[in-house]
Amino acid sequence: MKQQKKVMPKTTINWMGISWLVLVILSVIFFFIAIGFIAFPPKYILPLGIILVVIDVLMGYLSLKKRKKVNKKKKSIKKIIVTVINCILCVLLAAGSMYLPILQSQMKGIFVEPTDTQEVKINAYVMTSAYKSAHTDIFTDTNTSTNLEDYKDKKFLTQSTVDKDNQAYAVEDIKKQLNVSSLNTISEKSNVSAVSALYNGTGDIMLMNENYEASFADVEEYKNFTTDTQILYTTVIKVKVEKAETVEQYYTNSSFSVFIAGSDSRDSQLTYYTRTDVDMILTVDPVNKQILLVSIPRDWYVKNPALGNGYDKLTHLGNDGMQNTIDGLNQEFSFDYIKNYFEVNFVTFKNIVEAIGGVDVNNPYEFTTDDGEYFAAGEIHLSGDDALAYVRERHHLANGDYGRNEHQAIVLQAIISKVTSKEIISNFGNLLTNLQGNFLTSLSSDDIYSLAKMQLNDGGKWSFVSYHLGGQGDYNSTASMGDQQLYVSYPFESQVKFANEQITSVMNGQIITQGTLPEDDQTVYLPN
């Protein structure tokens, strides 16, 4: 009798079970990525876990349940539906797991942390042919060569009191470039005297730190320095940044103070060494949710730590780095609360306002800017360009730079209010895209987003108190610009003491309310 061959049953792949197993794995991966997200609120950890478990259990029940015998066609349709649902959920979880790290990278990319070394540029300036041609009583040769080789035997101007080490480095660099053993150098006492010697033909080429160039906008005689001169050569020096000692701080449960710096640079690149046209101390109490904003005139006459504590305009302290400005402010207020800084400039400030869809402010009085832009009193909406014009104007304000400080504080408060509101969520993607690299800060992004996480977790409204410090306007010499008489503002000791007390109160976790600044009506602004 012929033996029959056994027919093995045809095995089928259980796609429904496999898709559910993948769903469970992806749920676990997504959960840990989500709770590790830089701004994920802790109060949502348990709800997220419960939601994922419920989904997995429900889909597991549908995927693994043994069904009674039913119509094969119906059974097949049910399997397909469950498998499709599993697959859709898998795709969503996989997409979320991939998107969250990208989103976190974008969020961190908003803030640029300074490197341990920064570039310092020492420029070799010469008068332009156009300027020389317009002043033939001083210059017999009106053609300005753009070849460094033509300056081997020319007179090089340096400064003896400012940035000596970097200038000495630049001299050695130029000697190497020209293949000479020495240069014919003339040492002037200050930047201003060196510029004066360049203008009157005493020297042919001047070496100066690029950071000081903008300072000549305050000197009437040389306010067109950037157009009267051209840069022939630049020596780039890598300088190690001296940072303050790191202090462990918990930004979500203890108060802290940060220096807010608005650079006068119109470059998209933020730099550690720069003049500051906006100077504010932001003190934050995260426990009581209060913010104290103290605006300080850029022309305040304070000690410059980098120049032997000689008196200087506050705006000039940043030429020797943000830490130098922080040291100067801590010294002026007789405390050491300020540990970190945030820096923006004209370009990044405009980007910030545009990225959040503009801001609404209550303008205390009407005015028109130098460029003819009119701002009405009362509630007004400011676009990026409007906000920039609003915070920069001072010449057409009755109280000049002090009024500008007030406007800067008004806009900053409006920005903070909008960024911490629910309204910003709808525009979050655009916000992240447009804010990449817009802040230079010594704070880590983890510290910054710990506050964001706290706010999302706790909610609640923040209270603001702000003061705009003034001073007595006058003219005096400065440590960075020598004997040249520049416009300065002498701080009122009563206001300095008052600000110290207010900041100290917030740092100690005490509730403060808006008060009246001492000698506010005595602030004197002299147009410069």
Side-chain angles (χ1 to χ4, degrees):
M1 196 172 173
K2 192 174 178 182
Q3 191 174 4
Q4 281 190 329
K5 198 173 181 182
K6 262 190 177 180
V7 179
M8 297 294 292
K10 191 175 181 182
T11 58
T12 58
I13 299 175
N14 185 0
W15 291 111
M16 194 164 56
I18 292 174
S19 63
W20 174 78
L21 182 60
V22 173
L23 175 64
V24 172
I25 295 171
L26 287 174
S27 296
V28 173
I29 293 172
F30 177 77
F31 177 76
F32 284 105
I33 289 176
I35 65 173
F37 183 63
I38 196 169
F40 188 83
K43 71 178 181 181
Y44 293 129
I45 293 177
L46 183 59
L48 176 65
I50 291 173
I51 290 170
L52 291 174
V53 168
V54 169
I55 290 173
D56 288 345
V57 170
L58 177 61
M59 297 312 298
Y61 173 77
L62 295 174
S63 301
L64 304 179
K65 177 187 175 184
K66 290 185 178 180
R67 295 172 177 78
K68 295 177 182 179
K69 291 184 179 180
V70 294
N71 182 283
K72 283 187 178 181
K73 188 175 181 182
K74 288 184 179 180
K75 187 176 181 180
S76 177
I77 291 173
K78 286 182 179 178
K79 281 185 178 182
I80 292 172
I81 291 173
V82 172
T83 303
V84 168
I85 294 173
N86 280 340
C87 290
I88 291 172
L89 291 171
C90 285
V91 170
L92 291 175
L93 288 171
S97 299
M98 289 187 289
Y99 176 66
L100 284 179
I102 295 172
L103 180 62
Q104 179 163 295
S105 177
Q106 283 185 308
M107 291 173 67
K108 287 189 172 186
I110 293 174
F111 306 100
V112 180
E113 295 181 39
T115 56
D116 291 335
T117 59
Q118 295 283 318
E119 286 187 353
V120 171
K121 295 180 180 179
I122 305 297
N123 291 333
Y125 295 91
V126 293
M127 303 307 297
T128 64
S129 295
Y131 184 87
K132 288 181 178 180
S133 297
H135 297 83
T136 53
D137 55 322
I138 299 174
F139 303 97
T140 53
D141 181 5
T142 58
N143 290 319
T144 298
S145 171
T146 56
N147 187 353
L148 184 63
E149 288 286 335
D150 294 332
Y151 291 83
K152 282 185 178 181
D153 301 321
K154 300 295 183 180
K155 297 173 184 176
F156 285 75
L157 295 162
T158 61
Q159 302 98 54
S160 61
T161 57
V162 180
D163 210 35
K164 290 187 292 185
D165 292 341
N166 288 330
Q167 286 185 67
Y169 184 98
V171 167
E172 292 304 313
D173 177 47
I174 291 174
K175 282 161 61 175
K176 288 179 183 177
Q177 297 297 321
L178 297 178
N179 195 25
V180 296
S181 58
S182 64
L183 293 177
N184 183 3
T185 58
I186 300 174
S187 180
E188 294 288 341
K189 184 178 178 181
S190 67
N191 286 329
V192 175
S193 56
V195 168
S196 176
L198 184 65
Y199 268 75
N200 65 32
T202 301
D204 304 294
I205 184 168
M206 182 189 71
L207 302 180
M208 186 176 71
N209 190 318
E210 185 178 74
N211 295 323
Y212 289 96
E213 182 181 314
S215 300
F216 287 97
D218 296 331
V219 183
E220 181 63 28
E221 192 176 353
Y222 308 117
K223 64 181 181 181
N224 296 321
F225 176 80
T226 55
T227 54
D228 291 341
T229 64
Q230 64 187 72
I231 298 171
L232 180 68
Y233 180 75
T234 298
T235 297
V236 179
I237 307 169
K238 294 284 187 181
V239 178
K240 186 168 183 176
V241 174
E242 292 185 13
K243 298 179 182 178
E245 184 180 349
T246 302
V247 178
E248 186 175 5
Q249 182 140 18
Y250 301 97
Y251 293 95
T252 57
N253 57 21
S254 62
S255 300
F256 60 92
S257 286
V258 178
F259 172 52
I260 306 294
S263 167
D264 72 347
S265 170
R266 290 160 178 78
D267 195 338
S268 59
Q269 186 73 30
L270 292 164
T271 59
Y272 176 80
Y273 296 99
T274 183
R275 287 201 328 168
T276 54
D277 266 6
V278 178
D279 300 272
M280 300 178 179
I281 300 173
L282 185 73
T283 306
V284 181
D285 176 1
V287 177
N288 295 306
K289 292 189 181 297
Q290 62 175 341
I291 293 174
L292 170 62
L293 185 63
V294 177
S295 300
I296 305 165
R298 67 189 284 277
D299 297 315
W300 246 23
Y301 203 48
V302 298
K303 292 178 180 178
N304 188 332
L307 300 179
N309 271 337
Y311 278 89
D312 211 335
K313 289 161 70 103
L314 176 60
T315 183
H316 291 170
L317 269 61
N319 286 331
D320 288 288
M322 287 292 107
Q323 187 59 49
N324 187 52
T325 305
I326 288 175
D327 292 342
L329 287 173
N330 278 331
Q331 184 172 235
E332 179 65 26
F333 286 97
S334 301
F335 54 45
D336 63 350
Y337 299 141
I338 311 171
K339 305 294 183 185
N340 293 287
Y341 63 86
F342 271 94
E343 180 196 333
V344 298
N345 61 20
F346 289 140
V347 175
T348 57
F349 173 80
K350 176 184 170 183
N351 291 344
I352 292 164
V353 177
E354 286 184 344
I356 62 176
V359 292
D360 296 314
V361 301
N362 186 6
N363 185 31
Y365 46 81
E366 67 175 359
F367 66 92
T368 303
T369 68
D370 278 339
D371 296 327
E373 186 169 358
Y374 173 73
F375 292 95
E379 294 289 335
I380 57 174
H381 180 79
L382 302 176
S383 66
D385 287 322
D386 293 336
L388 187 56
Y390 185 82
V391 301
R392 287 180 61 190
E393 181 57 40
R394 61 173 170 156
H395 294 124
H396 287 72
L397 305 181
N399 53 351
D401 193 50
Y402 307 130
R404 179 167 66 170
N405 286 346
E406 182 181 17
H407 292 171
Q408 292 163 353
I410 289 171
V411 173
L412 180 59
Q413 182 172 330
I415 291 172
I416 293 173
S417 295
K418 192 159 187 181
V419 168
T420 56
S421 69
K422 293 178 181 178
E423 178 187 348
I424 208 67
I425 295 174
S426 62
N427 200 30
F428 195 59
N430 182 54
L431 181 68
L432 288 180
T433 301
N434 287 287
L435 290 187
Q436 294 300 295
N438 274 252
F439 295 93
L440 181 69
T441 179
S442 55
L443 282 167
S444 73
S445 55
D446 289 333
D447 290 332
I448 296 166
Y449 283 112
S450 66
L451 279 168
K453 184 188 294 187
M454 180 205 72
Q455 179 64 20
L456 289 170
N457 193 66
D458 302 340
K461 195 172 181 180
W462 289 75
S463 62
F464 289 88
V465 173
S466 64
Y467 295 101
H468 322 295
L469 305 189
Q472 173 69 49
D474 204 347
Y475 288 84
N476 209 331
S477 59
T478 60
S480 61
M481 300 293 281
D483 296 331
Q484 176 72 38
Q485 297 292 294
L486 298 179
Y487 178 78
V488 299
S489 175
Y490 294 103
F492 290 124
E493 286 189 20
S494 59
Q495 290 189 356
V496 174
K497 181 183 177 186
F498 179 83
N500 176 306
E501 291 169 350
Q502 294 294 298
I503 293 171
T504 298
S505 293
V506 177
M507 288 296 293
N508 289 335
Q510 299 171 16
I511 301 293
I512 64 170
T513 56
Q514 186 69 53
T516 302
L517 194 64
E519 300 191 74
D520 197 27
D521 294 334
Q522 298 180 39
T523 293
V524 179
Y525 171 72
L526 300 178
N528 56 357

